[in-house]
PDB file of all heavy atoms in Angstrom:
ATOM      1  N   TYR A 504       2.455   4.502  14.807  1.00  0.00           N
ATOM      2  CA  TYR A 504       3.805   3.939  14.915  1.00  0.00           C
ATOM      3  C   TYR A 504       4.840   4.645  14.033  1.00  0.00           C
ATOM      4  O   TYR A 504       6.034   4.600  14.336  1.00  0.00           O
ATOM      5  CB  TYR A 504       3.773   2.440  14.561  1.00  0.00           C
ATOM      6  CG  TYR A 504       2.917   1.629  15.505  1.00  0.00           C
ATOM      7  CD1 TYR A 504       1.765   0.994  15.051  1.00  0.00           C
ATOM      8  CD2 TYR A 504       3.263   1.503  16.845  1.00  0.00           C
ATOM      9  CE1 TYR A 504       0.977   0.253  15.910  1.00  0.00           C
ATOM     10  CE2 TYR A 504       2.476   0.759  17.713  1.00  0.00           C
ATOM     11  CZ  TYR A 504       1.332   0.138  17.243  1.00  0.00           C
ATOM     12  OH  TYR A 504       0.547  -0.590  18.099  1.00  0.00           O
ATOM     13  N   ALA A 505       4.418   5.249  12.909  1.00  0.00           N
ATOM     14  CA  ALA A 505       5.371   5.907  12.012  1.00  0.00           C
ATOM     15  C   ALA A 505       5.190   7.418  11.995  1.00  0.00           C
ATOM     16  O   ALA A 505       6.161   8.175  12.038  1.00  0.00           O
ATOM     17  CB  ALA A 505       5.227   5.339  10.596  1.00  0.00           C
ATOM     18  N   ASN A 506       3.928   7.864  11.887  1.00  0.00           N
ATOM     19  CA  ASN A 506       3.583   9.302  11.855  1.00  0.00           C
ATOM     20  C   ASN A 506       4.325  10.025  10.730  1.00  0.00           C
ATOM     21  O   ASN A 506       4.931  11.073  10.936  1.00  0.00           O
ATOM     22  CB  ASN A 506       3.876   9.960  13.202  1.00  0.00           C
ATOM     23  CG  ASN A 506       3.182  11.300  13.344  1.00  0.00           C
ATOM     24  OD1 ASN A 506       2.180  11.566  12.672  1.00  0.00           O
ATOM     25  ND2 ASN A 506       3.719  12.156  14.203  1.00  0.00           N
ATOM     26  N   THR A 507       4.298   9.438   9.546  1.00  0.00           N
ATOM     27  CA  THR A 507       4.902  10.042   8.354  1.00  0.00           C
ATOM     28  C   THR A 507       3.832  10.159   7.273  1.00  0.00           C
ATOM     29  O   THR A 507       2.677   9.750   7.467  1.00  0.00           O
ATOM     30  CB  THR A 507       6.070   9.191   7.833  1.00  0.00           C
ATOM     31  OG1 THR A 507       5.555   7.944   7.337  1.00  0.00           O
ATOM     32  CG2 THR A 507       7.094   8.933   8.924  1.00  0.00           C
ATOM     33  N   GLU A 508       4.233  10.688   6.150  1.00  0.00           N
ATOM     34  CA  GLU A 508       3.325  10.684   5.014  1.00  0.00           C
ATOM     35  C   GLU A 508       3.055   9.247   4.567  1.00  0.00           C
ATOM     36  O   GLU A 508       3.889   8.351   4.739  1.00  0.00           O
ATOM     37  CB  GLU A 508       3.934  11.479   3.854  1.00  0.00           C
ATOM     38  CG  GLU A 508       4.012  12.978   4.101  1.00  0.00           C
ATOM     39  CD  GLU A 508       4.515  13.728   2.873  1.00  0.00           C
ATOM     40  OE1 GLU A 508       4.992  13.054   1.922  1.00  0.00           O
ATOM     41  OE2 GLU A 508       4.416  14.958   2.864  1.00  0.00           O
ATOM     42  N   ILE A 509       1.886   9.047   3.972  1.00  0.00           N
ATOM     43  CA  ILE A 509       1.483   7.720   3.506  1.00  0.00           C
ATOM     44  C   ILE A 509       1.269   7.787   1.994  1.00  0.00           C
ATOM     45  O   ILE A 509       0.497   8.622   1.512  1.00  0.00           O
ATOM     46  CB  ILE A 509       0.183   7.258   4.202  1.00  0.00           C
ATOM     47  CG1 ILE A 509       0.388   7.191   5.720  1.00  0.00           C
ATOM     48  CG2 ILE A 509      -0.265   5.892   3.664  1.00  0.00           C
ATOM     49  CD1 ILE A 509      -0.873   6.889   6.495  1.00  0.00           C
ATOM     50  N   ASN A 510       1.978   6.931   1.294  1.00  0.00           N
ATOM     51  CA  ASN A 510       1.849   6.882  -0.164  1.00  0.00           C
ATOM     52  C   ASN A 510       0.781   5.875  -0.564  1.00  0.00           C
ATOM     53  O   ASN A 510       0.806   4.703  -0.151  1.00  0.00           O
ATOM     54  CB  ASN A 510       3.176   6.496  -0.815  1.00  0.00           C
ATOM     55  CG  ASN A 510       4.225   7.581  -0.665  1.00  0.00           C
ATOM     56  OD1 ASN A 510       3.893   8.776  -0.690  1.00  0.00           O
ATOM     57  ND2 ASN A 510       5.483   7.189  -0.514  1.00  0.00           N
ATOM     58  N   LEU A 511      -0.158   6.319  -1.351  1.00  0.00           N
ATOM     59  CA  LEU A 511      -1.220   5.461  -1.874  1.00  0.00           C
ATOM     60  C   LEU A 511      -0.853   5.049  -3.302  1.00  0.00           C
ATOM     61  O   LEU A 511      -0.461   5.878  -4.111  1.00  0.00           O
ATOM     62  CB  LEU A 511      -2.552   6.214  -1.878  1.00  0.00           C
ATOM     63  CG  LEU A 511      -3.728   5.530  -2.584  1.00  0.00           C
ATOM     64  CD1 LEU A 511      -4.109   4.241  -1.878  1.00  0.00           C
ATOM     65  CD2 LEU A 511      -4.918   6.483  -2.669  1.00  0.00           C
ATOM     66  N   SER A 512      -0.971   3.753  -3.575  1.00  0.00           N
ATOM     67  CA  SER A 512      -0.718   3.265  -4.936  1.00  0.00           C
ATOM     68  C   SER A 512      -1.777   2.236  -5.300  1.00  0.00           C
ATOM     69  O   SER A 512      -2.293   1.523  -4.425  1.00  0.00           O
ATOM     70  CB  SER A 512       0.686   2.650  -5.056  1.00  0.00           C
ATOM     71  OG  SER A 512       0.836   1.557  -4.171  1.00  0.00           O
ATOM     72  N   ILE A 513      -2.087   2.165  -6.610  1.00  0.00           N
ATOM     73  CA  ILE A 513      -3.136   1.268  -7.102  1.00  0.00           C
ATOM     74  C   ILE A 513      -2.573   0.448  -8.263  1.00  0.00           C
ATOM     75  O   ILE A 513      -1.865   0.988  -9.126  1.00  0.00           O
ATOM     76  CB  ILE A 513      -4.358   2.063  -7.605  1.00  0.00           C
ATOM     77  CG1 ILE A 513      -4.885   3.021  -6.530  1.00  0.00           C
ATOM     78  CG2 ILE A 513      -5.458   1.114  -8.089  1.00  0.00           C
ATOM     79  CD1 ILE A 513      -5.516   2.360  -5.345  1.00  0.00           C
ATOM     80  N   HIS A 514      -2.871  -0.832  -8.291  1.00  0.00           N
ATOM     81  CA  HIS A 514      -2.584  -1.651  -9.471  1.00  0.00           C
ATOM     82  C   HIS A 514      -3.574  -2.811  -9.516  1.00  0.00           C
ATOM     83  O   HIS A 514      -4.245  -3.120  -8.518  1.00  0.00           O
ATOM     84  CB  HIS A 514      -1.134  -2.151  -9.485  1.00  0.00           C
ATOM     85  CG  HIS A 514      -0.810  -3.115  -8.383  1.00  0.00           C
ATOM     86  ND1 HIS A 514      -0.554  -2.733  -7.088  1.00  0.00           N
ATOM     87  CD2 HIS A 514      -0.685  -4.479  -8.414  1.00  0.00           C
ATOM     88  CE1 HIS A 514      -0.276  -3.783  -6.350  1.00  0.00           C
ATOM     89  NE2 HIS A 514      -0.349  -4.856  -7.135  1.00  0.00           N
ATOM     90  N   MET A 515      -3.654  -3.444 -10.675  1.00  0.00           N
ATOM     91  CA  MET A 515      -4.650  -4.498 -10.899  1.00  0.00           C
ATOM     92  C   MET A 515      -4.024  -5.686 -11.623  1.00  0.00           C
ATOM     93  O   MET A 515      -2.994  -5.560 -12.270  1.00  0.00           O
ATOM     94  CB  MET A 515      -5.821  -3.958 -11.754  1.00  0.00           C
ATOM     95  CG  MET A 515      -6.560  -2.785 -11.157  1.00  0.00           C
ATOM     96  SD  MET A 515      -7.721  -2.025 -12.359  1.00  0.00           S
ATOM     97  CE  MET A 515      -8.719  -3.443 -12.806  1.00  0.00           C
ATOM     98  N   ASP A 516      -4.650  -6.833 -11.466  1.00  0.00           N
ATOM     99  CA  ASP A 516      -4.337  -7.976 -12.320  1.00  0.00           C
ATOM    100  C   ASP A 516      -5.665  -8.582 -12.769  1.00  0.00           C
ATOM    101  O   ASP A 516      -6.712  -7.920 -12.690  1.00  0.00           O
ATOM    102  CB  ASP A 516      -3.432  -8.985 -11.610  1.00  0.00           C
ATOM    103  CG  ASP A 516      -4.044  -9.577 -10.345  1.00  0.00           C
ATOM    104  OD1 ASP A 516      -5.293  -9.482 -10.195  1.00  0.00           O
ATOM    105  OD2 ASP A 516      -3.316 -10.126  -9.509  1.00  0.00           O
ATOM    106  N   GLU A 517      -5.662  -9.826 -13.212  1.00  0.00           N
ATOM    107  CA  GLU A 517      -6.877 -10.412 -13.767  1.00  0.00           C
ATOM    108  C   GLU A 517      -7.924 -10.722 -12.701  1.00  0.00           C
ATOM    109  O   GLU A 517      -9.109 -10.898 -13.027  1.00  0.00           O
ATOM    110  CB  GLU A 517      -6.530 -11.706 -14.519  1.00  0.00           C
ATOM    111  CG  GLU A 517      -5.670 -11.482 -15.759  1.00  0.00           C
ATOM    112  CD  GLU A 517      -5.351 -12.778 -16.461  1.00  0.00           C
ATOM    113  OE1 GLU A 517      -5.698 -13.848 -15.910  1.00  0.00           O
ATOM    114  OE2 GLU A 517      -4.732 -12.727 -17.545  1.00  0.00           O
ATOM    115  N   GLU A 518      -7.504 -10.806 -11.427  1.00  0.00           N
ATOM    116  CA  GLU A 518      -8.433 -11.205 -10.379  1.00  0.00           C
ATOM    117  C   GLU A 518      -8.676 -10.134  -9.324  1.00  0.00           C
ATOM    118  O   GLU A 518      -9.783 -10.037  -8.781  1.00  0.00           O
ATOM    119  CB  GLU A 518      -7.929 -12.472  -9.667  1.00  0.00           C
ATOM    120  CG  GLU A 518      -7.894 -13.712 -10.532  1.00  0.00           C
ATOM    121  CD  GLU A 518      -7.500 -14.932  -9.718  1.00  0.00           C
ATOM    122  OE1 GLU A 518      -8.232 -15.285  -8.769  1.00  0.00           O
ATOM    123  OE2 GLU A 518      -6.441 -15.515 -10.023  1.00  0.00           O
ATOM    124  N   TYR A 519      -7.633  -9.325  -9.033  1.00  0.00           N
ATOM    125  CA  TYR A 519      -7.727  -8.439  -7.877  1.00  0.00           C
ATOM    126  C   TYR A 519      -7.447  -6.981  -8.254  1.00  0.00           C
ATOM    127  O   TYR A 519      -6.705  -6.679  -9.199  1.00  0.00           O
ATOM    128  CB  TYR A 519      -6.748  -8.876  -6.786  1.00  0.00           C
ATOM    129  CG  TYR A 519      -7.079 -10.211  -6.164  1.00  0.00           C
ATOM    130  CD1 TYR A 519      -6.433 -11.375  -6.592  1.00  0.00           C
ATOM    131  CD2 TYR A 519      -8.036 -10.311  -5.156  1.00  0.00           C
ATOM    132  CE1 TYR A 519      -6.740 -12.603  -6.026  1.00  0.00           C
ATOM    133  CE2 TYR A 519      -8.336 -11.530  -4.589  1.00  0.00           C
ATOM    134  CZ  TYR A 519      -7.690 -12.671  -5.019  1.00  0.00           C
ATOM    135  OH  TYR A 519      -7.994 -13.887  -4.468  1.00  0.00           O
ATOM    136  N   PHE A 520      -8.017  -6.112  -7.428  1.00  0.00           N
ATOM    137  CA  PHE A 520      -7.768  -4.675  -7.463  1.00  0.00           C
ATOM    138  C   PHE A 520      -7.002  -4.346  -6.193  1.00  0.00           C
ATOM    139  O   PHE A 520      -7.525  -4.454  -5.090  1.00  0.00           O
ATOM    140  CB  PHE A 520      -9.100  -3.918  -7.503  1.00  0.00           C
ATOM    141  CG  PHE A 520      -8.964  -2.433  -7.619  1.00  0.00           C
ATOM    142  CD1 PHE A 520      -8.971  -1.805  -8.857  1.00  0.00           C
ATOM    143  CD2 PHE A 520      -8.825  -1.635  -6.484  1.00  0.00           C
ATOM    144  CE1 PHE A 520      -8.856  -0.429  -8.971  1.00  0.00           C
ATOM    145  CE2 PHE A 520      -8.703  -0.269  -6.587  1.00  0.00           C
ATOM    146  CZ  PHE A 520      -8.709   0.350  -7.826  1.00  0.00           C
ATOM    147  N   TYR A 521      -5.710  -3.954  -6.339  1.00  0.00           N
ATOM    148  CA  TYR A 521      -4.822  -3.802  -5.188  1.00  0.00           C
ATOM    149  C   TYR A 521      -4.731  -2.340  -4.768  1.00  0.00           C
ATOM    150  O   TYR A 521      -4.479  -1.446  -5.588  1.00  0.00           O
ATOM    151  CB  TYR A 521      -3.422  -4.317  -5.511  1.00  0.00           C
ATOM    152  CG  TYR A 521      -3.375  -5.792  -5.840  1.00  0.00           C
ATOM    153  CD1 TYR A 521      -3.378  -6.233  -7.165  1.00  0.00           C
ATOM    154  CD2 TYR A 521      -3.321  -6.736  -4.826  1.00  0.00           C
ATOM    155  CE1 TYR A 521      -3.336  -7.579  -7.476  1.00  0.00           C
ATOM    156  CE2 TYR A 521      -3.273  -8.097  -5.131  1.00  0.00           C
ATOM    157  CZ  TYR A 521      -3.282  -8.507  -6.446  1.00  0.00           C
ATOM    158  OH  TYR A 521      -3.237  -9.841  -6.735  1.00  0.00           O
ATOM    159  N   VAL A 522      -4.886  -2.120  -3.456  1.00  0.00           N
ATOM    160  CA  VAL A 522      -4.722  -0.794  -2.863  1.00  0.00           C
ATOM    161  C   VAL A 522      -3.589  -0.893  -1.836  1.00  0.00           C
ATOM    162  O   VAL A 522      -3.687  -1.649  -0.868  1.00  0.00           O
ATOM    163  CB  VAL A 522      -6.014  -0.324  -2.167  1.00  0.00           C
ATOM    164  CG1 VAL A 522      -5.816   1.067  -1.559  1.00  0.00           C
ATOM    165  CG2 VAL A 522      -7.175  -0.323  -3.143  1.00  0.00           C
ATOM    166  N   SER A 523      -2.507  -0.136  -2.077  1.00  0.00           N
ATOM    167  CA  SER A 523      -1.340  -0.190  -1.203  1.00  0.00           C
ATOM    168  C   SER A 523      -1.186   1.128  -0.451  1.00  0.00           C
ATOM    169  O   SER A 523      -1.300   2.212  -1.042  1.00  0.00           O
ATOM    170  CB  SER A 523      -0.068  -0.481  -2.003  1.00  0.00           C
ATOM    171  OG  SER A 523      -0.156  -1.734  -2.653  1.00  0.00           O
ATOM    172  N   LEU A 524      -0.920   1.009   0.863  1.00  0.00           N
ATOM    173  CA  LEU A 524      -0.671   2.167   1.722  1.00  0.00           C
ATOM    174  C   LEU A 524       0.657   1.937   2.424  1.00  0.00           C
ATOM    175  O   LEU A 524       0.794   0.981   3.201  1.00  0.00           O
ATOM    176  CB  LEU A 524      -1.802   2.339   2.736  1.00  0.00           C
ATOM    177  CG  LEU A 524      -3.178   2.712   2.152  1.00  0.00           C
ATOM    178  CD1 LEU A 524      -4.277   2.498   3.183  1.00  0.00           C
ATOM    179  CD2 LEU A 524      -3.174   4.155   1.671  1.00  0.00           C
ATOM    180  N   GLY A 525       1.655   2.785   2.150  1.00  0.00           N
ATOM    181  CA  GLY A 525       2.992   2.598   2.717  1.00  0.00           C
ATOM    182  C   GLY A 525       3.514   3.863   3.347  1.00  0.00           C
ATOM    183  O   GLY A 525       3.433   4.948   2.760  1.00  0.00           O
ATOM    184  N   ASP A 526       4.084   3.743   4.562  1.00  0.00           N
ATOM    185  CA  ASP A 526       4.643   4.917   5.252  1.00  0.00           C
ATOM    186  C   ASP A 526       6.156   4.931   5.090  1.00  0.00           C
ATOM    187  O   ASP A 526       6.742   4.108   4.376  1.00  0.00           O
ATOM    188  CB  ASP A 526       4.229   4.919   6.731  1.00  0.00           C
ATOM    189  CG  ASP A 526       4.644   3.638   7.462  1.00  0.00           C
ATOM    190  OD1 ASP A 526       5.794   3.178   7.247  1.00  0.00           O
ATOM    191  OD2 ASP A 526       3.836   3.102   8.253  1.00  0.00           O
ATOM    192  N   LYS A 527       6.819   5.853   5.802  1.00  0.00           N
ATOM    193  CA  LYS A 527       8.275   6.003   5.738  1.00  0.00           C
ATOM    194  C   LYS A 527       8.900   5.834   7.116  1.00  0.00           C
ATOM    195  O   LYS A 527       9.940   6.411   7.432  1.00  0.00           O
ATOM    196  CB  LYS A 527       8.625   7.403   5.199  1.00  0.00           C
ATOM    197  CG  LYS A 527       8.051   7.724   3.823  1.00  0.00           C
ATOM    198  CD  LYS A 527       8.679   6.860   2.755  1.00  0.00           C
ATOM    199  CE  LYS A 527       8.148   7.249   1.378  1.00  0.00           C
ATOM    200  NZ  LYS A 527       8.752   6.419   0.312  1.00  0.00           N
ATOM    201  N   GLY A 528       8.258   4.994   7.941  1.00  0.00           N
ATOM    202  CA  GLY A 528       8.692   4.883   9.334  1.00  0.00           C
ATOM    203  C   GLY A 528       9.754   3.840   9.606  1.00  0.00           C
ATOM    204  O   GLY A 528      10.017   3.509  10.776  1.00  0.00           O
ATOM    205  N   GLY A 529      10.381   3.276   8.597  1.00  0.00           N
ATOM    206  CA  GLY A 529      11.453   2.306   8.824  1.00  0.00           C
ATOM    207  C   GLY A 529      11.005   0.856   8.838  1.00  0.00           C
ATOM    208  O   GLY A 529      11.831  -0.058   8.899  1.00  0.00           O
ATOM    209  N   GLY A 530       9.694   0.605   8.829  1.00  0.00           N
ATOM    210  CA  GLY A 530       9.195  -0.769   8.785  1.00  0.00           C
ATOM    211  C   GLY A 530       9.249  -1.467  10.127  1.00  0.00           C
ATOM    212  O   GLY A 530       9.464  -0.850  11.178  1.00  0.00           O
ATOM    213  N   VAL A 531       9.067  -2.786  10.106  1.00  0.00           N
ATOM    214  CA  VAL A 531       9.073  -3.606  11.323  1.00  0.00           C
ATOM    215  C   VAL A 531      10.202  -4.626  11.229  1.00  0.00           C
ATOM    216  O   VAL A 531      10.782  -4.846  10.172  1.00  0.00           O
ATOM    217  CB  VAL A 531       7.718  -4.332  11.520  1.00  0.00           C
ATOM    218  CG1 VAL A 531       6.582  -3.320  11.637  1.00  0.00           C
ATOM    219  CG2 VAL A 531       7.451  -5.313  10.379  1.00  0.00           C
ATOM    220  N   SER A 532      10.499  -5.239  12.346  1.00  0.00           N
ATOM    221  CA  SER A 532      11.549  -6.256  12.389  1.00  0.00           C
ATOM    222  C   SER A 532      11.169  -7.440  11.500  1.00  0.00           C
ATOM    223  O   SER A 532       9.996  -7.821  11.416  1.00  0.00           O
ATOM    224  CB  SER A 532      11.752  -6.728  13.831  1.00  0.00           C
ATOM    225  OG  SER A 532      12.540  -7.891  13.879  1.00  0.00           O
TER     226      SER A 532
END
């Protein structure tokens, strides 16, 4: 749907290990 680069980011809190994948395709409605 976007066909752009995907940025990977990592962060943590006391309970979870978060893995985020975000593109540059303008998002959804």
Side-chain angles (χ1 to χ4, degrees):
Y504 298 115
N506 196 23
T507 67
E508 291 185 349
I509 300 174
N510 292 325
L511 171 64
S512 60
I513 305 291
H514 66 281
M515 301 170 56
D516 61 18
E517 294 180 354
E518 294 185 62
Y519 293 98
F520 183 93
Y521 298 97
V522 180
S523 299
L524 294 165
D526 57 43
K527 302 293 183 180
V531 300
S532 167

